[in-house]
Amino acid sequence: MKGKLFMYAFIFALLLMVFQYVNSKNIFESYQDKMNKHIEKERVLKDSIKKLNIQLDKFRMQSQ
């Protein structure tokens, strides 16, 4: 009886570890996707700021 109980506890612990591994892997991939989206958005915004600064410099030169 104790042998079966130990075996069931071992299998349960093993399944729990597999579940935690898969769950943490999915969470990590989700965070990584979000971070990549934020990095791309930041790059686009920086490019927009650069373009606007160039336009502002041209406008300032024309008005002088």
Side-chain angles (χ1 to χ4, degrees):
M1 182 68 178
K2 287 184 180 181
K4 279 188 177 182
L5 184 62
F6 178 74
M7 184 181 68
Y8 288 135
F10 179 75
I11 291 172
F12 177 75
L14 187 63
L15 289 174
L16 185 62
M17 286 190 301
V18 169
F19 171 76
Q20 287 178 334
Y21 171 75
V22 170
N23 192 34
S24 65
K25 184 179 175 187
N26 289 338
I27 290 172
F28 178 74
E29 288 174 354
S30 172
Y31 284 151
Q32 195 171 16
D33 290 343
K34 287 179 184 178
M35 184 61 85
N36 287 337
K37 288 177 185 177
H38 286 298
I39 289 171
E40 179 62 23
K41 187 174 181 179
E42 179 187 14
R43 187 188 67 76
V44 169
L45 291 173
K46 282 183 177 182
D47 286 347
S48 297
I49 290 172
K50 285 179 185 178
K51 288 179 183 178
L52 289 171
N53 278 331
I54 290 171
Q55 289 179 354
L56 181 63
D57 287 344
K58 287 180 181 179
F59 178 75
R60 285 182 180 159
M61 290 191 138
Q62 287 178 354
S63 56
Q64 288 179 351

